[in-house]
Amino acid sequence: MNLIILGPPGSGKSTQAELLAKFMCVPCLEAGNLLYYLYREDSKEGRKIKKAMEAGILVEGELIIEAITNQLKSPSYKNGVVIDGFPRSLAQA
């Protein structure tokens, strides 16, 4: 089973996502953590993410969609996942 946790900032999404993932015995994919990991990479994608984050703006939709899609191809998500922090906009959904 795959779940996406949606809600406004500070509503407890991350807390609930972690609890659900633990209960379901599946990983929790936190978009913010993924972006931070990619931010630290010296890659074209990482540099774009770093530029956006340092400017205090949202990472461009196509870039986050690509990052999430690539991550979900990992075998660790074959039995399900709880996604926290994505989608961030109607266009990403």
Side-chain angles (χ1 to χ4, degrees):
M1 178 185 303
N2 300 318
L3 294 175
I4 298 174
I5 307 300
L6 301 171
S11 63
K13 294 181 303 295
S14 295
T15 300
Q16 294 304 312
E18 289 176 22
L19 291 169
L20 282 167
K22 188 179 228 180
F23 177 77
M24 296 170 49
C25 299
V26 297
C28 182
L29 175 55
E30 298 178 57
N33 289 348
L34 176 60
L35 288 175
Y36 181 71
Y37 172 79
L38 295 171
Y39 164 97
R40 296 175 61 200
E41 281 188 353
D42 186 25
S43 65
K44 183 178 179 182
E45 185 179 58
R47 287 187 293 276
K48 285 183 180 180
I49 291 168
K50 186 173 187 172
K51 184 177 178 181
M53 291 175 89
E54 287 179 350
I57 59 175
L58 290 178
V59 174
E60 113 186 20
E62 289 179 22
L63 191 55
I64 185 66
I65 290 169
E66 183 179 337
I68 295 284
T69 300
N70 287 340
Q71 188 69 26
L72 289 174
K73 291 177 183 175
S74 167
S76 59
Y77 299 102
K78 71 178 181 175
N79 293 323
V81 63
V82 177
I83 300 176
D84 172 29
F86 178 83
R88 296 177 96 180
S89 69
L90 189 56
Q92 289 178 6

